[in-house]
Amino acid sequence: GQNIDQPTEMTATEGAIVQINCTYQTSGFNGLFWYQQHAGEAPTFLSYNVLDGLEEKGRFSSFLSRSKGYSYLLLKELQMKDSASYLCAVRASGGSYIPTFGRGTSLIVHP
Amino acid sequence: DAGVTQSPTHLIKTRGQHVTLRCSPISGHKSVSWYQQVLGQGPQFIFQYYEKEERGRGNFPDRFSARQFPNYSSELNVNALLLGDSALYLCASRADGSGYGYTFGSGTRLTVV
């Protein structure tokens, strides 16, 4: 089975930097996703990490350490519109490509 | 190009009733997955279909069933509805050869009263 853990809620100030952590335990690993989900909307894809290291994409970066079962999503220059739920999802080995989601981290950005 | 479309957007049903939710994937996408998202939780995997065949099933009771049609659209059926089935039901499609390119629809909000 798989176990994915991330904080339930975080708050941050507009313009600041925030790091959302995700730890996972899985019987075989084949990639880790980060999705953003605004209330009442569909999750939208942010990043996908397969290899160790940091991948940067504009204001958002995602880091993966497979040996530690650990990932984080880094959001820079926070904007009010970044207030959303951030979902970590892990794809196990096996070829089915089905990601398993954590419960999500609700990020609140305040002025 | 239209994204993943789901219908209806909202639905209210009574306990014990049956419901059918529909999903049209992005044109050319042959893989469709269904997820249930209870308020405050992450999406939970229900089914995956590819080329009309079931390729994966999550830990849901037999009251939940699904199918995929020749045009790759899909239906999720839930029988004998319970209050606990109230959730946002999400459909996602993926293109062949894209290991990570899941695109989600906006979901169907089901309320069971």
Side-chain angles (χ1 to χ4, degrees), chain A residues 33 35 37 40-43 45 48 87 91 96-104, chain B residues 35 37 40-45 48 56 88 90 94 99-100 102 104-106:
Chain A
F33 301 80
Y35 279 84
Q37 186 178 26
E41 298 183 11
F45 172 82
Y48 179 63
L87 301 164
R91 198 177 79 186
S96 63
Y97 299 114
I98 299 169
T100 298
F101 285 82
R103 62 186 301 151
Chain B
Y35 286 83
Q37 187 175 25
Q41 303 287 324
Q44 297 298 307
F45 171 70
Q48 183 187 61
L88 180 67
L90 294 164
R94 180 177 62 86
Y100 62 89
Y102 286 89
F104 282 85
S106 295

PDB file of all heavy atoms in Angstrom, chain A residues 33 35 37 40-43 45 48 87 91 96-104, chain B residues 35 37 40-45 48 56 88 90 94 99-100 102 104-106:
ATOM      1  N   PHE A  33       3.673  13.661  -8.193  1.00  0.00           N
ATOM      2  CA  PHE A  33       2.991  14.818  -8.767  1.00  0.00           C
ATOM      3  C   PHE A  33       2.691  15.865  -7.693  1.00  0.00           C
ATOM      4  O   PHE A  33       2.485  15.525  -6.527  1.00  0.00           O
ATOM      5  CB  PHE A  33       1.612  14.418  -9.322  1.00  0.00           C
ATOM      6  CG  PHE A  33       1.603  13.362 -10.382  1.00  0.00           C
ATOM      7  CD1 PHE A  33       1.706  12.024 -10.056  1.00  0.00           C
ATOM      8  CD2 PHE A  33       1.443  13.706 -11.709  1.00  0.00           C
ATOM      9  CE1 PHE A  33       1.653  11.043 -11.030  1.00  0.00           C
ATOM     10  CE2 PHE A  33       1.398  12.727 -12.698  1.00  0.00           C
ATOM     11  CZ  PHE A  33       1.501  11.403 -12.347  1.00  0.00           C
ATOM     12  N   TYR A  35      -0.298  18.935  -7.591  1.00  0.00           N
ATOM     13  CA  TYR A  35      -1.430  19.568  -8.239  1.00  0.00           C
ATOM     14  C   TYR A  35      -1.890  20.730  -7.374  1.00  0.00           C
ATOM     15  O   TYR A  35      -1.779  20.699  -6.142  1.00  0.00           O
ATOM     16  CB  TYR A  35      -2.600  18.581  -8.388  1.00  0.00           C
ATOM     17  CG  TYR A  35      -2.495  17.626  -9.554  1.00  0.00           C
ATOM     18  CD1 TYR A  35      -1.768  16.449  -9.434  1.00  0.00           C
ATOM     19  CD2 TYR A  35      -3.137  17.898 -10.754  1.00  0.00           C
ATOM     20  CE1 TYR A  35      -1.689  15.564 -10.493  1.00  0.00           C
ATOM     21  CE2 TYR A  35      -3.061  17.022 -11.824  1.00  0.00           C
ATOM     22  CZ  TYR A  35      -2.328  15.857 -11.681  1.00  0.00           C
ATOM     23  OH  TYR A  35      -2.239  14.979 -12.740  1.00  0.00           O
ATOM     24  N   GLN A  37      -5.369  22.959  -6.466  1.00  0.00           N
ATOM     25  CA  GLN A  37      -6.824  22.880  -6.598  1.00  0.00           C
ATOM     26  C   GLN A  37      -7.470  24.033  -5.856  1.00  0.00           C
ATOM     27  O   GLN A  37      -7.420  24.098  -4.620  1.00  0.00           O
ATOM     28  CB  GLN A  37      -7.356  21.549  -6.060  1.00  0.00           C
ATOM     29  CG  GLN A  37      -8.839  21.349  -6.311  1.00  0.00           C
ATOM     30  CD  GLN A  37      -9.356  20.007  -5.812  1.00  0.00           C
ATOM     31  OE1 GLN A  37      -8.807  19.410  -4.895  1.00  0.00           O
ATOM     32  NE2 GLN A  37     -10.432  19.506  -6.438  1.00  0.00           N
ATOM     33  N   GLY A  40     -13.717  24.176  -5.214  1.00  0.00           N
ATOM     34  CA  GLY A  40     -14.780  23.920  -6.175  1.00  0.00           C
ATOM     35  C   GLY A  40     -14.326  23.715  -7.600  1.00  0.00           C
ATOM     36  O   GLY A  40     -15.163  23.615  -8.507  1.00  0.00           O
ATOM     37  N   GLU A  41     -13.014  23.668  -7.822  1.00  0.00           N
ATOM     38  CA  GLU A  41     -12.498  23.517  -9.181  1.00  0.00           C
ATOM     39  C   GLU A  41     -11.715  22.213  -9.332  1.00  0.00           C
ATOM     40  O   GLU A  41     -11.454  21.508  -8.371  1.00  0.00           O
ATOM     41  CB  GLU A  41     -11.625  24.716  -9.541  1.00  0.00           C
ATOM     42  CG  GLU A  41     -12.373  26.030  -9.534  1.00  0.00           C
ATOM     43  CD  GLU A  41     -11.498  27.201  -9.971  1.00  0.00           C
ATOM     44  OE1 GLU A  41     -10.377  26.959 -10.469  1.00  0.00           O
ATOM     45  OE2 GLU A  41     -11.948  28.340  -9.824  1.00  0.00           O
ATOM     46  N   ALA A  42     -11.334  21.924 -10.576  1.00  0.00           N
ATOM     47  CA  ALA A  42     -10.553  20.724 -10.854  1.00  0.00           C
ATOM     48  C   ALA A  42      -9.100  20.911 -10.424  1.00  0.00           C
ATOM     49  O   ALA A  42      -8.579  22.025 -10.468  1.00  0.00           O
ATOM     50  CB  ALA A  42     -10.597  20.424 -12.356  1.00  0.00           C
ATOM     51  N   PRO A  43      -8.440  19.850 -10.010  1.00  0.00           N
ATOM     52  CA  PRO A  43      -6.994  19.930  -9.768  1.00  0.00           C
ATOM     53  C   PRO A  43      -6.283  20.254 -11.081  1.00  0.00           C
ATOM     54  O   PRO A  43      -6.628  19.714 -12.130  1.00  0.00           O
ATOM     55  CB  PRO A  43      -6.624  18.519  -9.295  1.00  0.00           C
ATOM     56  CG  PRO A  43      -7.900  17.904  -8.837  1.00  0.00           C
ATOM     57  CD  PRO A  43      -8.964  18.506  -9.695  1.00  0.00           C
ATOM     58  N   PHE A  45      -2.416  20.470 -12.954  1.00  0.00           N
ATOM     59  CA  PHE A  45      -1.071  19.922 -12.846  1.00  0.00           C
ATOM     60  C   PHE A  45      -0.033  21.018 -12.636  1.00  0.00           C
ATOM     61  O   PHE A  45      -0.037  22.037 -13.328  1.00  0.00           O
ATOM     62  CB  PHE A  45      -0.768  19.159 -14.138  1.00  0.00           C
ATOM     63  CG  PHE A  45       0.648  18.674 -14.272  1.00  0.00           C
ATOM     64  CD1 PHE A  45       1.046  17.506 -13.664  1.00  0.00           C
ATOM     65  CD2 PHE A  45       1.578  19.385 -15.018  1.00  0.00           C
ATOM     66  CE1 PHE A  45       2.355  17.048 -13.798  1.00  0.00           C
ATOM     67  CE2 PHE A  45       2.875  18.939 -15.158  1.00  0.00           C
ATOM     68  CZ  PHE A  45       3.265  17.768 -14.545  1.00  0.00           C
ATOM     69  N   TYR A  48       5.885  17.211 -12.005  1.00  0.00           N
ATOM     70  CA  TYR A  48       6.050  15.771 -11.919  1.00  0.00           C
ATOM     71  C   TYR A  48       7.535  15.480 -11.783  1.00  0.00           C
ATOM     72  O   TYR A  48       8.320  15.888 -12.639  1.00  0.00           O
ATOM     73  CB  TYR A  48       5.501  15.098 -13.172  1.00  0.00           C
ATOM     74  CG  TYR A  48       5.647  13.594 -13.217  1.00  0.00           C
ATOM     75  CD1 TYR A  48       5.015  12.801 -12.286  1.00  0.00           C
ATOM     76  CD2 TYR A  48       6.414  12.980 -14.212  1.00  0.00           C
ATOM     77  CE1 TYR A  48       5.141  11.420 -12.331  1.00  0.00           C
ATOM     78  CE2 TYR A  48       6.546  11.609 -14.264  1.00  0.00           C
ATOM     79  CZ  TYR A  48       5.898  10.826 -13.316  1.00  0.00           C
ATOM     80  OH  TYR A  48       6.022   9.454 -13.366  1.00  0.00           O
ATOM     81  N   LEU A  87      -1.993  19.408  -3.680  1.00  0.00           N
ATOM     82  CA  LEU A  87      -2.103  17.962  -3.555  1.00  0.00           C
ATOM     83  C   LEU A  87      -0.815  17.288  -4.002  1.00  0.00           C
ATOM     84  O   LEU A  87      -0.322  17.535  -5.102  1.00  0.00           O
ATOM     85  CB  LEU A  87      -3.253  17.445  -4.417  1.00  0.00           C
ATOM     86  CG  LEU A  87      -4.641  18.000  -4.120  1.00  0.00           C
ATOM     87  CD1 LEU A  87      -5.598  17.721  -5.269  1.00  0.00           C
ATOM     88  CD2 LEU A  87      -5.187  17.404  -2.841  1.00  0.00           C
ATOM     89  N   ARG A  91       2.914   7.955  -7.791  1.00  0.00           N
ATOM     90  CA  ARG A  91       2.592   6.869  -8.698  1.00  0.00           C
ATOM     91  C   ARG A  91       3.525   5.704  -8.403  1.00  0.00           C
ATOM     92  O   ARG A  91       4.739   5.834  -8.460  1.00  0.00           O
ATOM     93  CB  ARG A  91       2.771   7.321 -10.148  1.00  0.00           C
ATOM     94  CG  ARG A  91       2.074   6.428 -11.140  1.00  0.00           C
ATOM     95  CD  ARG A  91       2.237   6.958 -12.520  1.00  0.00           C
ATOM     96  NE  ARG A  91       3.539   6.631 -13.080  1.00  0.00           N
ATOM     97  CZ  ARG A  91       3.989   7.089 -14.249  1.00  0.00           C
ATOM     98  NH1 ARG A  91       3.243   7.907 -14.956  1.00  0.00           N
ATOM     99  NH2 ARG A  91       5.168   6.730 -14.696  1.00  0.00           N
ATOM    100  N   SER A  96       0.414   0.954 -14.236  1.00  0.00           N
ATOM    101  CA  SER A  96      -0.962   1.419 -14.342  1.00  0.00           C
ATOM    102  C   SER A  96      -1.042   2.938 -14.381  1.00  0.00           C
ATOM    103  O   SER A  96      -2.070   3.482 -14.750  1.00  0.00           O
ATOM    104  CB  SER A  96      -1.795   0.895 -13.175  1.00  0.00           C
ATOM    105  OG  SER A  96      -1.295   1.424 -11.955  1.00  0.00           O
ATOM    106  N   TYR A  97       0.049   3.612 -13.998  1.00  0.00           N
ATOM    107  CA  TYR A  97       0.115   5.081 -14.022  1.00  0.00           C
ATOM    108  C   TYR A  97      -0.931   5.748 -13.152  1.00  0.00           C
ATOM    109  O   TYR A  97      -1.256   6.905 -13.360  1.00  0.00           O
ATOM    110  CB  TYR A  97      -0.031   5.606 -15.456  1.00  0.00           C
ATOM    111  CG  TYR A  97       1.046   5.132 -16.386  1.00  0.00           C
ATOM    112  CD1 TYR A  97       0.750   4.295 -17.447  1.00  0.00           C
ATOM    113  CD2 TYR A  97       2.368   5.527 -16.204  1.00  0.00           C
ATOM    114  CE1 TYR A  97       1.734   3.855 -18.303  1.00  0.00           C
ATOM    115  CE2 TYR A  97       3.366   5.090 -17.062  1.00  0.00           C
ATOM    116  CZ  TYR A  97       3.036   4.255 -18.108  1.00  0.00           C
ATOM    117  OH  TYR A  97       4.007   3.811 -18.958  1.00  0.00           O
ATOM    118  N   ILE A  98      -1.481   5.054 -12.205  1.00  0.00           N
ATOM    119  CA  ILE A  98      -2.539   5.634 -11.379  1.00  0.00           C
ATOM    120  C   ILE A  98      -1.921   6.314 -10.170  1.00  0.00           C
ATOM    121  O   ILE A  98      -1.332   5.658  -9.327  1.00  0.00           O
ATOM    122  CB  ILE A  98      -3.519   4.536 -10.918  1.00  0.00           C
ATOM    123  CG1 ILE A  98      -4.184   3.873 -12.136  1.00  0.00           C
ATOM    124  CG2 ILE A  98      -4.570   5.128  -9.994  1.00  0.00           C
ATOM    125  CD1 ILE A  98      -4.950   2.625 -11.785  1.00  0.00           C
ATOM    126  N   PRO A  99      -2.055   7.636 -10.060  1.00  0.00           N
ATOM    127  CA  PRO A  99      -1.499   8.315  -8.892  1.00  0.00           C
ATOM    128  C   PRO A  99      -2.400   8.185  -7.675  1.00  0.00           C
ATOM    129  O   PRO A  99      -3.624   8.214  -7.799  1.00  0.00           O
ATOM    130  CB  PRO A  99      -1.392   9.774  -9.348  1.00  0.00           C
ATOM    131  CG  PRO A  99      -2.402   9.915 -10.428  1.00  0.00           C
ATOM    132  CD  PRO A  99      -2.578   8.574 -11.054  1.00  0.00           C
ATOM    133  N   THR A 100      -1.779   8.054  -6.508  1.00  0.00           N
ATOM    134  CA  THR A 100      -2.484   8.043  -5.233  1.00  0.00           C
ATOM    135  C   THR A 100      -2.242   9.381  -4.559  1.00  0.00           C
ATOM    136  O   THR A 100      -1.088   9.787  -4.390  1.00  0.00           O
ATOM    137  CB  THR A 100      -1.972   6.904  -4.342  1.00  0.00           C
ATOM    138  OG1 THR A 100      -2.232   5.659  -4.990  1.00  0.00           O
ATOM    139  CG2 THR A 100      -2.683   6.921  -2.993  1.00  0.00           C
ATOM    140  N   PHE A 101      -3.310  10.039  -4.149  1.00  0.00           N
ATOM    141  CA  PHE A 101      -3.219  11.394  -3.610  1.00  0.00           C
ATOM    142  C   PHE A 101      -3.151  11.419  -2.095  1.00  0.00           C
ATOM    143  O   PHE A 101      -3.779  10.599  -1.419  1.00  0.00           O
ATOM    144  CB  PHE A 101      -4.436  12.213  -4.045  1.00  0.00           C
ATOM    145  CG  PHE A 101      -4.410  12.646  -5.481  1.00  0.00           C
ATOM    146  CD1 PHE A 101      -4.817  11.786  -6.490  1.00  0.00           C
ATOM    147  CD2 PHE A 101      -3.962  13.915  -5.831  1.00  0.00           C
ATOM    148  CE1 PHE A 101      -4.790  12.170  -7.818  1.00  0.00           C
ATOM    149  CE2 PHE A 101      -3.933  14.314  -7.158  1.00  0.00           C
ATOM    150  CZ  PHE A 101      -4.344  13.446  -8.144  1.00  0.00           C
ATOM    151  N   GLY A 102      -2.410  12.396  -1.578  1.00  0.00           N
ATOM    152  CA  GLY A 102      -2.495  12.737  -0.173  1.00  0.00           C
ATOM    153  C   GLY A 102      -3.745  13.576   0.070  1.00  0.00           C
ATOM    154  O   GLY A 102      -4.485  13.893  -0.867  1.00  0.00           O
ATOM    155  N   ARG A 103      -3.966  13.958   1.332  1.00  0.00           N
ATOM    156  CA  ARG A 103      -5.191  14.699   1.640  1.00  0.00           C
ATOM    157  C   ARG A 103      -5.132  16.166   1.242  1.00  0.00           C
ATOM    158  O   ARG A 103      -6.151  16.865   1.281  1.00  0.00           O
ATOM    159  CB  ARG A 103      -5.513  14.569   3.127  1.00  0.00           C
ATOM    160  CG  ARG A 103      -4.468  15.128   4.052  1.00  0.00           C
ATOM    161  CD  ARG A 103      -4.810  14.814   5.501  1.00  0.00           C
ATOM    162  NE  ARG A 103      -6.104  15.384   5.840  1.00  0.00           N
ATOM    163  CZ  ARG A 103      -6.913  14.861   6.755  1.00  0.00           C
ATOM    164  NH1 ARG A 103      -6.580  13.779   7.402  1.00  0.00           N
ATOM    165  NH2 ARG A 103      -8.064  15.419   7.016  1.00  0.00           N
ATOM    166  N   GLY A 104      -3.963  16.644   0.862  1.00  0.00           N
ATOM    167  CA  GLY A 104      -3.847  18.027   0.411  1.00  0.00           C
ATOM    168  C   GLY A 104      -3.492  18.985   1.534  1.00  0.00           C
ATOM    169  O   GLY A 104      -3.813  18.752   2.698  1.00  0.00           O
TER     170      GLY A 104
ATOM    171  N   TYR B  35     -12.270   9.534  -9.739  1.00  0.00           N
ATOM    172  CA  TYR B  35     -11.855   9.761  -8.363  1.00  0.00           C
ATOM    173  C   TYR B  35     -13.035  10.316  -7.570  1.00  0.00           C
ATOM    174  O   TYR B  35     -13.871  11.053  -8.100  1.00  0.00           O
ATOM    175  CB  TYR B  35     -10.708  10.775  -8.288  1.00  0.00           C
ATOM    176  CG  TYR B  35      -9.366  10.250  -8.726  1.00  0.00           C
ATOM    177  CD1 TYR B  35      -9.005  10.199 -10.065  1.00  0.00           C
ATOM    178  CD2 TYR B  35      -8.441   9.807  -7.782  1.00  0.00           C
ATOM    179  CE1 TYR B  35      -7.760   9.717 -10.458  1.00  0.00           C
ATOM    180  CE2 TYR B  35      -7.191   9.332  -8.166  1.00  0.00           C
ATOM    181  CZ  TYR B  35      -6.870   9.285  -9.502  1.00  0.00           C
ATOM    182  OH  TYR B  35      -5.648   8.814  -9.886  1.00  0.00           O
ATOM    183  N   GLN B  37     -13.733  12.717  -4.244  1.00  0.00           N
ATOM    184  CA  GLN B  37     -13.079  13.653  -3.336  1.00  0.00           C
ATOM    185  C   GLN B  37     -14.079  14.157  -2.311  1.00  0.00           C
ATOM    186  O   GLN B  37     -14.952  14.971  -2.628  1.00  0.00           O
ATOM    187  CB  GLN B  37     -12.444  14.817  -4.093  1.00  0.00           C
ATOM    188  CG  GLN B  37     -11.602  15.721  -3.197  1.00  0.00           C
ATOM    189  CD  GLN B  37     -10.870  16.804  -3.957  1.00  0.00           C
ATOM    190  OE1 GLN B  37     -11.282  17.215  -5.043  1.00  0.00           O
ATOM    191  NE2 GLN B  37      -9.767  17.289  -3.393  1.00  0.00           N
ATOM    192  N   GLY B  40     -12.383  18.311   2.094  1.00  0.00           N
ATOM    193  CA  GLY B  40     -11.241  18.358   2.997  1.00  0.00           C
ATOM    194  C   GLY B  40     -10.251  17.225   2.815  1.00  0.00           C
ATOM    195  O   GLY B  40      -9.257  17.139   3.549  1.00  0.00           O
ATOM    196  N   GLN B  41     -10.492  16.366   1.846  1.00  0.00           N
ATOM    197  CA  GLN B  41      -9.607  15.230   1.582  1.00  0.00           C
ATOM    198  C   GLN B  41      -9.060  15.302   0.160  1.00  0.00           C
ATOM    199  O   GLN B  41      -9.580  16.049  -0.678  1.00  0.00           O
ATOM    200  CB  GLN B  41     -10.375  13.912   1.754  1.00  0.00           C
ATOM    201  CG  GLN B  41     -11.011  13.710   3.112  1.00  0.00           C
ATOM    202  CD  GLN B  41     -10.006  13.408   4.174  1.00  0.00           C
ATOM    203  OE1 GLN B  41      -9.009  12.720   3.937  1.00  0.00           O
ATOM    204  NE2 GLN B  41     -10.231  13.920   5.369  1.00  0.00           N
ATOM    205  N   GLY B  42      -8.034  14.500  -0.102  1.00  0.00           N
ATOM    206  CA  GLY B  42      -7.540  14.384  -1.466  1.00  0.00           C
ATOM    207  C   GLY B  42      -8.416  13.426  -2.265  1.00  0.00           C
ATOM    208  O   GLY B  42      -9.192  12.656  -1.696  1.00  0.00           O
ATOM    209  N   PRO B  43      -8.294  13.459  -3.585  1.00  0.00           N
ATOM    210  CA  PRO B  43      -9.066  12.533  -4.432  1.00  0.00           C
ATOM    211  C   PRO B  43      -8.696  11.087  -4.149  1.00  0.00           C
ATOM    212  O   PRO B  43      -7.515  10.759  -4.008  1.00  0.00           O
ATOM    213  CB  PRO B  43      -8.657  12.931  -5.850  1.00  0.00           C
ATOM    214  CG  PRO B  43      -8.146  14.331  -5.740  1.00  0.00           C
ATOM    215  CD  PRO B  43      -7.508  14.411  -4.390  1.00  0.00           C
ATOM    216  N   GLN B  44      -9.699  10.217  -4.079  1.00  0.00           N
ATOM    217  CA  GLN B  44      -9.488   8.784  -3.878  1.00  0.00           C
ATOM    218  C   GLN B  44      -9.832   8.045  -5.162  1.00  0.00           C
ATOM    219  O   GLN B  44     -10.916   8.221  -5.716  1.00  0.00           O
ATOM    220  CB  GLN B  44     -10.368   8.274  -2.730  1.00  0.00           C
ATOM    221  CG  GLN B  44     -10.030   8.902  -1.380  1.00  0.00           C
ATOM    222  CD  GLN B  44      -8.630   8.597  -0.935  1.00  0.00           C
ATOM    223  OE1 GLN B  44      -8.214   7.435  -0.875  1.00  0.00           O
ATOM    224  NE2 GLN B  44      -7.856   9.628  -0.613  1.00  0.00           N
ATOM    225  N   PHE B  45      -8.927   7.205  -5.618  1.00  0.00           N
ATOM    226  CA  PHE B  45      -9.077   6.485  -6.884  1.00  0.00           C
ATOM    227  C   PHE B  45     -10.211   5.474  -6.818  1.00  0.00           C
ATOM    228  O   PHE B  45     -10.296   4.680  -5.867  1.00  0.00           O
ATOM    229  CB  PHE B  45      -7.762   5.790  -7.228  1.00  0.00           C
ATOM    230  CG  PHE B  45      -7.850   4.846  -8.390  1.00  0.00           C
ATOM    231  CD1 PHE B  45      -8.028   5.336  -9.676  1.00  0.00           C
ATOM    232  CD2 PHE B  45      -7.765   3.480  -8.200  1.00  0.00           C
ATOM    233  CE1 PHE B  45      -8.098   4.472 -10.760  1.00  0.00           C
ATOM    234  CE2 PHE B  45      -7.837   2.614  -9.266  1.00  0.00           C
ATOM    235  CZ  PHE B  45      -8.011   3.108 -10.552  1.00  0.00           C
ATOM    236  N   GLN B  48     -10.073   2.958 -13.292  1.00  0.00           N
ATOM    237  CA  GLN B  48      -9.406   3.408 -14.490  1.00  0.00           C
ATOM    238  C   GLN B  48      -9.826   2.509 -15.648  1.00  0.00           C
ATOM    239  O   GLN B  48      -9.856   1.282 -15.509  1.00  0.00           O
ATOM    240  CB  GLN B  48      -7.880   3.381 -14.368  1.00  0.00           C
ATOM    241  CG  GLN B  48      -7.199   3.939 -15.617  1.00  0.00           C
ATOM    242  CD  GLN B  48      -5.695   3.774 -15.603  1.00  0.00           C
ATOM    243  OE1 GLN B  48      -5.181   2.667 -15.557  1.00  0.00           O
ATOM    244  NE2 GLN B  48      -4.985   4.895 -15.643  1.00  0.00           N
ATOM    245  N   GLY B  56      -7.900  -0.747 -13.599  1.00  0.00           N
ATOM    246  CA  GLY B  56      -7.609  -0.574 -12.181  1.00  0.00           C
ATOM    247  C   GLY B  56      -8.876  -0.288 -11.415  1.00  0.00           C
ATOM    248  O   GLY B  56      -9.815   0.294 -11.947  1.00  0.00           O
ATOM    249  N   LEU B  88     -17.330  15.232  -4.326  1.00  0.00           N
ATOM    250  CA  LEU B  88     -17.035  15.702  -5.682  1.00  0.00           C
ATOM    251  C   LEU B  88     -16.447  14.520  -6.443  1.00  0.00           C
ATOM    252  O   LEU B  88     -15.465  13.920  -5.999  1.00  0.00           O
ATOM    253  CB  LEU B  88     -16.027  16.848  -5.627  1.00  0.00           C
ATOM    254  CG  LEU B  88     -15.603  17.457  -6.964  1.00  0.00           C
ATOM    255  CD1 LEU B  88     -16.766  18.186  -7.626  1.00  0.00           C
ATOM    256  CD2 LEU B  88     -14.428  18.418  -6.763  1.00  0.00           C
ATOM    257  N   LEU B  90     -14.540  13.272  -9.648  1.00  0.00           N
ATOM    258  CA  LEU B  90     -13.648  13.816 -10.665  1.00  0.00           C
ATOM    259  C   LEU B  90     -13.314  12.755 -11.700  1.00  0.00           C
ATOM    260  O   LEU B  90     -13.099  11.587 -11.376  1.00  0.00           O
ATOM    261  CB  LEU B  90     -12.350  14.304 -10.027  1.00  0.00           C
ATOM    262  CG  LEU B  90     -12.466  15.488  -9.074  1.00  0.00           C
ATOM    263  CD1 LEU B  90     -11.209  15.606  -8.228  1.00  0.00           C
ATOM    264  CD2 LEU B  90     -12.700  16.781  -9.858  1.00  0.00           C
ATOM    265  N   ARG B  94      -6.010  10.825 -19.915  1.00  0.00           N
ATOM    266  CA  ARG B  94      -4.567  10.842 -20.184  1.00  0.00           C
ATOM    267  C   ARG B  94      -4.324  10.328 -21.589  1.00  0.00           C
ATOM    268  O   ARG B  94      -4.984   9.396 -22.050  1.00  0.00           O
ATOM    269  CB  ARG B  94      -3.838   9.955 -19.175  1.00  0.00           C
ATOM    270  CG  ARG B  94      -2.334   9.887 -19.331  1.00  0.00           C
ATOM    271  CD  ARG B  94      -1.718   9.026 -18.235  1.00  0.00           C
ATOM    272  NE  ARG B  94      -2.165   7.654 -18.276  1.00  0.00           N
ATOM    273  CZ  ARG B  94      -1.607   6.711 -19.031  1.00  0.00           C
ATOM    274  NH1 ARG B  94      -0.607   7.001 -19.843  1.00  0.00           N
ATOM    275  NH2 ARG B  94      -2.063   5.473 -18.991  1.00  0.00           N
ATOM    276  N   GLY B  99       3.042   9.499 -19.421  1.00  0.00           N
ATOM    277  CA  GLY B  99       2.990   8.865 -18.110  1.00  0.00           C
ATOM    278  C   GLY B  99       2.405   9.762 -17.041  1.00  0.00           C
ATOM    279  O   GLY B  99       1.902   9.294 -16.044  1.00  0.00           O
ATOM    280  N   TYR B 100       2.478  11.059 -17.262  1.00  0.00           N
ATOM    281  CA  TYR B 100       2.056  11.946 -16.187  1.00  0.00           C
ATOM    282  C   TYR B 100       0.997  12.951 -16.596  1.00  0.00           C
ATOM    283  O   TYR B 100       0.528  13.726 -15.790  1.00  0.00           O
ATOM    284  CB  TYR B 100       3.270  12.707 -15.653  1.00  0.00           C
ATOM    285  CG  TYR B 100       3.935  13.601 -16.671  1.00  0.00           C
ATOM    286  CD1 TYR B 100       3.525  14.921 -16.843  1.00  0.00           C
ATOM    287  CD2 TYR B 100       4.976  13.133 -17.455  1.00  0.00           C
ATOM    288  CE1 TYR B 100       4.137  15.736 -17.769  1.00  0.00           C
ATOM    289  CE2 TYR B 100       5.590  13.954 -18.381  1.00  0.00           C
ATOM    290  CZ  TYR B 100       5.176  15.248 -18.529  1.00  0.00           C
ATOM    291  OH  TYR B 100       5.785  16.046 -19.446  1.00  0.00           O
ATOM    292  N   TYR B 102      -2.074  13.740 -16.728  1.00  0.00           N
ATOM    293  CA  TYR B 102      -3.481  13.645 -16.352  1.00  0.00           C
ATOM    294  C   TYR B 102      -4.121  15.018 -16.390  1.00  0.00           C
ATOM    295  O   TYR B 102      -3.603  15.981 -15.833  1.00  0.00           O
ATOM    296  CB  TYR B 102      -3.626  13.097 -14.931  1.00  0.00           C
ATOM    297  CG  TYR B 102      -3.356  11.623 -14.821  1.00  0.00           C
ATOM    298  CD1 TYR B 102      -2.068  11.148 -14.583  1.00  0.00           C
ATOM    299  CD2 TYR B 102      -4.380  10.694 -14.957  1.00  0.00           C
ATOM    300  CE1 TYR B 102      -1.805   9.803 -14.502  1.00  0.00           C
ATOM    301  CE2 TYR B 102      -4.126   9.343 -14.863  1.00  0.00           C
ATOM    302  CZ  TYR B 102      -2.846   8.899 -14.638  1.00  0.00           C
ATOM    303  OH  TYR B 102      -2.581   7.566 -14.552  1.00  0.00           O
ATOM    304  N   PHE B 104      -7.761  16.835 -15.405  1.00  0.00           N
ATOM    305  CA  PHE B 104      -9.005  16.606 -14.678  1.00  0.00           C
ATOM    306  C   PHE B 104     -10.130  17.474 -15.220  1.00  0.00           C
ATOM    307  O   PHE B 104      -9.916  18.603 -15.669  1.00  0.00           O
ATOM    308  CB  PHE B 104      -8.817  16.944 -13.196  1.00  0.00           C
ATOM    309  CG  PHE B 104      -8.093  15.887 -12.418  1.00  0.00           C
ATOM    310  CD1 PHE B 104      -6.708  15.860 -12.390  1.00  0.00           C
ATOM    311  CD2 PHE B 104      -8.792  14.918 -11.721  1.00  0.00           C
ATOM    312  CE1 PHE B 104      -6.034  14.881 -11.672  1.00  0.00           C
ATOM    313  CE2 PHE B 104      -8.132  13.938 -11.000  1.00  0.00           C
ATOM    314  CZ  PHE B 104      -6.743  13.923 -10.979  1.00  0.00           C
ATOM    315  N   GLY B 105     -11.342  16.925 -15.119  1.00  0.00           N
ATOM    316  CA  GLY B 105     -12.528  17.719 -15.348  1.00  0.00           C
ATOM    317  C   GLY B 105     -12.890  18.475 -14.084  1.00  0.00           C
ATOM    318  O   GLY B 105     -12.260  18.291 -13.031  1.00  0.00           O
ATOM    319  N   SER B 106     -13.894  19.335 -14.187  1.00  0.00           N
ATOM    320  CA  SER B 106     -14.286  20.164 -13.038  1.00  0.00           C
ATOM    321  C   SER B 106     -15.125  19.411 -12.029  1.00  0.00           C
ATOM    322  O   SER B 106     -15.382  19.916 -10.939  1.00  0.00           O
ATOM    323  CB  SER B 106     -15.055  21.392 -13.514  1.00  0.00           C
ATOM    324  OG  SER B 106     -14.216  22.213 -14.291  1.00  0.00           O
TER     325      SER B 106
END
